[in-house]
Amino acid sequence: MTPRPTTSGPPGPRRSRTAGAGLLRDRPSRTAGVGLLAAATLLAGMAAQANAVPPRGAADSGTSAPGAAASDGRSSGHPGRPGVARELSESTRLSDRRSLVVGDRAYAMGDETGLYPATGWHTRGEMGGIWSQPIKLLDGMWFGVDGAWLGEQVAATKYTSGYGYQRIDYANGVQRTDFVPDGVRATVVGLTFKSQENKTVRLDLDAHSELMPAYPWGGTTPNAGQANLPDSGSYADGVLRFRDRGTSPIPNAEPHDYTAVVGSRLRPTGHALGANHRGPQDPAVICPADGTPPPRCDDSAFGKGTGGRLSYRVDLKAGKSTTLWFAVAGSDDSSAAASREFRRAISDPERLLKAKVRTRAGLAGQSVVDLPGDRLLQQSVEWSKQNLADSVQESRDLEIRDVNEGKAYPAPAGTADRARWFGAGFPDYPWLFATDGEYTAYAAVAAGQFDTAKQHLKSLQEISDILNHRSGKVAHEVMPTGDVYFGSNQSAGNTDETVKFPSVVALLWRWTGDDRFRDQLYDFSVRNLRYVYRELDKDNDGWLEGLANVERSGMGAEKLDSTVYLGRGLRDLADLAASKRDRATQQWATAKAEDLEKRFEAQWWVPQAFGYADSIDDPADPANDNKPIFQRHWTGVTPMEAMLTRPGKPDSPLASPEHAKIALDQREKACYTGEFGLFHTGTGPTADPAGNPGPSCDSVVSAVKSERAIFSLNTSIMAVAEGNFGRLGKDQQQVYTTGNARIQLDREVWETPGAMPEIAPSPDSPANIDRPFTDRSMSLQAWGTYGVLWPVVHQQLGVDPDLGRHRLAVVPQLPGGQQKVAGSNIRVGRGSVDVSARLAGKELRTDVKTRGVYADVTVGAVLPAGAKVAAVSLDGRRTAYELVTTSRGAEVRVAARGSSSSVSITLR
């Protein structure tokens, strides 16, 4: 992933078609009554349903968080589901907070007043606004009522984030609802008016275009300013039409035809065209291309857009609600294609909104959990499922080229017809990453969102093979245009991404039992690991060279996380090979894995650091023959986080139990853990001139300074690692699950309600809302959901499918201090499982029900520490059982019969 600067930093051939005519013919010039009341009723019904039952928030039972959205009227709950809010609202500092609505073919980001500050840093100031991959459409769209602009002269009083939509309330009673229909390249906005008297108001819509591709960026060669052509604007048939067509004056550019269409079902009473038309953001403050920006900008130095206005007369009836719909649609193919998308969006917005809400409700109905002892985490599970859905993106006709970290722009190596993926983060990383997708896949299977995870991997495979000529290397960072910033055969690439790929294929195969999917990606998985041994082990010591998740000065050529994920990848490839009866690959991968595991602890454990080395083999010191280098990075947790599948043995991490306990105990200390989770780089003795700003927990002198930034991924890694060793206590896993839940749900912390951000407010990373819009981390980052969904569904509820072999185990573990955890409709394959685990006195009970699951089912529980078994019964009758020692603890396992089983364990 390209790094976010600490201060502000830094297409293919398209067929041309003529624009379609008659978009809004025969529409009245004044407000039509037909459909408007229905639309207002729909929006009011959504709000009423969401507010039907007051929520029991985090503060009323179990784990509480200061300021967590609960019973203050700012959130609204699911009827019958305590602790869950499907709307979250904020009313303070709205102009400092980013808003976001996402569909798979478009998304929009502004602030929470309905304005559009220049946002983002990849191309400074241009990463917000309205996009449809692979192009940006508009800088924004603004609304004025009787000459007063909403969000400026008319203050926004409340912002609400819902499942698939957002709503802004204004002081004059107007409500704005934004959503992005899936499958449509458009963003739709509804304005709802309420009046106590009959009257007519004037409504103005301003739109400012910025038709430009997602790549090049501001600091690349060529850059965004060189590639971006001036936009033109026109008006016809009741809509504004913006176009950018021609051939950019950069090497290997091809003709393009970008179009955005803006309008409504209503016939405007007037229009205007001009260079500005940014509503109250005129005259625009322009962000410079580099250097220190103003605190808030309206456009960028790379911008070459233009503007337009549509004016309407709106008749309001006393005591009635009236909703008007508007849309911006676009295409990178042709003007006619943009017109088609506009008609799809504006012809029946009410139906599209209902479909959006229905789809999101369906996702909410999967992996439904009941956590009486931790309502905050329960609510985080719900919103994490929505965060995943909000991350899905799709692009077509990607032209694959290696841009060599922004230094070149060669002819494309080939074309991918379609790619679909979990966007890493908004607004600066909404594209296809290997690292992010691989971590996010664990959250996705726990949420039952299998399809996007599969499509993400298939897209990576296709693009990587085009880019790297089937070498087996996985591309790191792929733009929606097809431009690959990093990860070609010629670049250092990220070794860990290539070795993780077989593990994620195995993960999805086990959760879905989809042999066809396994078969599609099996050859690539084999080539992944063959490649790394062929190209990335030049000294033949079995430890891979190359870049990994952390790159800092003084690191050795061989990284810990690449080693850990290689060990897991080898075991998973061997498992896939066994299922394919590929004996040669199975034997090769198993032999490599056994050799790595046998030598791992002696090579990587650093006793005086109470942890594992971050890297070995300093290339600047020829005498350093695999000497461990310890720098306190978060990757030191990966030996406890990655689980290895070994034939005939329970899955377990690479780290030994003895060293894992020492390392996890150490990472829980203030040297490594802050209020919201795990630091990127812990504090302690250092040779860096900046010195050590925090406590010391070991005596090793590191070459680098600490970085007390808490990434949601780092915290996720720690949460999962704790769970792998059964450490679910309040001072263990719960510290980290609560940390990620709070930055998503605590109104004293969040930026965008319900969105898991990239970085938490941290000692070395101030809160986003206190930073310029052009110098922020991501407001929504998918990988943070790994630290919520996987710990709950897989570790606490114990759902562990191996459907490729027709097996399913459900062995829950109750978190420390809690008496019950439960989940329902947890997808496994084409079926689902319900599970409830509870402790009452001396009875530990697990109830499991399966639907449509054709597998041998094992049911049980992890015993509380120190507990012994007096008796075990299955469905009320004494039964035989296994007592298995795993990294989680002592597990009781019983072979279930039928689709419904109840296992009761009497403790002594």
Side-chain angles (χ1 to χ4, degrees), residues 14-20 23 130 132 135-138 185 209-212 231-232 234 239-245 256-262 328-342:
R14 306 293 176 193
R15 291 170 292 172
S16 177
R17 300 189 181 99
T18 56
L23 284 176
I130 300 172
S132 176
I135 61 171
K136 183 173 182 176
L137 304 177
L138 299 184
R185 302 186 67 178
S209 73
E210 193 55 79
L211 290 155
M212 64 188 305
D231 296 353
S232 63
S234 63
V239 300
L240 298 171
R241 186 179 304 273
F242 303 106
R243 300 185 74 176
D244 172 343
R245 50 182 169 169
H256 65 260
D257 187 356
Y258 306 150
T259 307
V261 178
V262 184
V328 51
S331 173
D332 57 316
D333 185 22
S334 68
S335 182
S339 295
R340 288 194 297 272
E341 296 297 320
F342 177 78

Side-chain angles (χ1 to χ4, degrees), residues 295-563:
R296 190 174 174 115
C297 307
D298 304 300
D299 207 337
S300 83
F302 303 102
K304 297 180 182 179
T306 188
R309 176 174 295 175
L310 298 173
S311 298
Y312 306 88
R313 293 178 63 194
V314 182
D315 293 335
L316 303 179
K317 302 298 184 183
K320 301 283 187 180
S321 293
T322 300
T323 297
L324 313 176
W325 291 103
F326 304 86
V328 51
S331 173
D332 57 316
D333 185 22
S334 68
S335 182
S339 295
R340 288 194 297 272
E341 296 297 320
F342 177 78
R343 286 194 293 268
R344 291 179 66 198
I346 205 65
S347 61
D348 194 349
E350 298 91 344
R351 178 183 60 82
L352 293 175
L353 179 56
K354 286 180 180 178
K356 182 81 174 191
V357 172
R358 184 168 57 248
T359 297
R360 292 305 187 87
L363 294 178
Q366 297 172 182
S367 297
V368 177
V369 302
D370 181 17
L371 309 178
D374 197 341
R375 293 301 189 200
L376 177 65
L377 182 58
Q378 176 179 328
Q379 185 162 324
S380 185
V381 167
E382 295 301 319
W383 280 92
S384 293
K385 292 183 291 188
Q386 299 298 321
N387 287 177
L388 287 175
D390 278 332
S391 300
V392 179
Q393 293 289 278
E394 183 175 314
S395 190
R396 308 281 176 87
D397 300 324
L398 295 83
E399 300 211 326
I400 311 305
R401 76 184 85 221
D402 174 18
V403 300
N404 189 22
E405 300 181 62
K407 301 169 188 170
Y409 200 76
T415 302
D417 292 339
R418 175 178 180 260
R420 189 173 175 88
W421 66 92
F422 285 116
F426 294 83
D428 281 284
Y429 295 123
W431 34 76
L432 174 64
F433 280 89
T435 292
D436 298 70
E438 289 160 344
Y439 286 120
T440 301
Y442 288 84
V445 296
Q449 297 182 31
F450 302 146
D451 289 346
T452 304
K454 290 179 179 179
Q455 292 158 345
H456 191 115
L457 291 191
K458 290 177 182 178
S459 297
L460 277 176
Q461 175 267 316
E462 181 182 5
I463 291 166
S464 297
D465 272 350
I466 293 171
L467 176 75
N468 291 325
H469 311 290
R470 294 180 55 83
S471 70
K473 184 174 184 176
V474 175
H476 167 67
E477 183 173 6
V478 185
M479 302 301 106
T481 54
D483 299 299
V484 180
Y485 184 80
F486 194 58
S488 72
N489 287 333
Q490 289 68 45
S491 70
N494 277 29
T495 304
D496 69 291
E497 293 168 303
T498 299
V499 301
K500 283 204 294 274
F501 196 94
S503 292
V504 185
V505 174
L507 171 79
L508 281 156
W509 175 63
R510 292 167 186 150
W511 277 75
T512 65
D514 187 343
D515 288 343
R516 183 182 178 194
F517 169 77
R518 174 204 61 188
D519 295 346
Q520 289 173 328
L521 293 181
Y522 178 71
D523 173 68
F524 186 61
S525 298
V526 174
R527 287 187 281 118
N528 295 153
L529 299 194
R530 293 287 189 180
Y531 169 84
V532 297
Y533 277 106
R534 184 177 68 247
E535 300 292 338
L536 299 175
D537 188 20
K538 299 302 184 184
D539 57 3
N540 295 311
D541 64 354
W543 314 120
L544 302 181
E545 300 101 19
L547 305 183
N549 281 288
V550 174
E551 294 301 326
R552 294 296 184 270
S553 62
M555 292 192 83
E558 296 157 352
K559 310 299 192 299
L560 175 65
D561 46 330
S562 293
T563 299

